[in-house]
Amino acid sequence: MTRRSFLLALLALVTLAPAVSRADVPVHVRVIKGSRKGPPHIDPRLANLKRQLSPLAYVRWEQTSEQEVSLTRGKTEFVSLPDGDHVGVTLQEQRGNTVTLEVALASRNTQSRLTVERGQRIVHQVTGEKSGAAFFLTVIAGP
């Protein structure tokens, strides 16, 4: 390899490296409310989560919002809760088929790290229980 071809190859690597490390990850986020009060019911929009929700202590499940966000490593996107609070979701790391997210609720000074495979759903409680109800996020990292 000549010095010139080596330098061109090195320049190509340096040029591509930032683009690879900054790749966006599409994430589907739903805010759901679990309640201990009332007759058992699962919002039809949450039918695909029934197996994950059934073992939890709540009997009523309602989807309150849904959104798609595109996460860039280190940049926080915010999801609004019905009570006016905001949850920050930050891409911490992506390796192969695995994505690690940080979920933070500033008002409660809580942070959680969630690692999921792309396409896998996770349900995560983000608020404490008030009057028998709590809010959860369900997150799916896309391809």
Side-chain angles (χ1 to χ4, degrees):
M1 179 180 275
T2 68
R3 178 178 165 87
R4 183 172 188 271
S5 61
F6 173 77
L7 289 174
L8 288 174
L10 183 61
L11 179 61
L13 282 174
V14 169
T15 303
L16 289 176
V20 171
S21 66
R22 284 187 247 146
D24 290 350
V25 174
V27 178
H28 183 181
V29 180
R30 293 191 278 179
V31 176
I32 59 178
K33 179 181 179 181
S35 178
R36 294 179 190 267
K37 297 179 181 179
H41 174 74
I42 294 181
D43 185 326
R45 295 173 291 178
L46 301 174
N48 62 345
L49 293 173
K50 188 173 183 173
R51 288 178 60 191
Q52 287 177 284
L53 299 177
S54 294
L56 301 176
Y58 299 91
V59 295
R60 291 189 64 79
W61 293 97
E62 173 190 353
Q63 179 174 307
T64 62
S65 68
E66 177 176 27
Q67 70 185 73
E68 298 285 333
V69 295
S70 185
L71 297 178
T72 301
R73 187 171 183 197
K75 183 177 179 232
T76 302
E77 296 290 334
F78 291 94
V79 176
S80 298
L81 299 179
D83 65 1
D85 220 339
H86 295 82
V87 178
V89 181
T90 309
L91 174 63
Q92 294 294 314
E93 182 176 48
Q94 57 179 324
R95 286 191 181 172
N97 203 31
T98 304
V99 176
T100 300
L101 306 171
E102 180 181 271
V103 176
L105 188 62
S107 67
R108 292 187 57 213
N109 197 25
T110 60
Q111 294 175 319
S112 300
R113 282 188 174 232
L114 311 173
T115 300
V116 296
E117 288 185 20
R118 291 175 187 264
Q120 178 187 15
R121 259 186 307 274
I122 192 162
V123 176
H124 181 70
Q125 186 171 345
V126 292
T127 67
E129 188 175 313
K130 289 182 189 173
S131 302
F135 290 106
F136 296 73
L137 287 187
T138 175
V139 178
I140 302 173

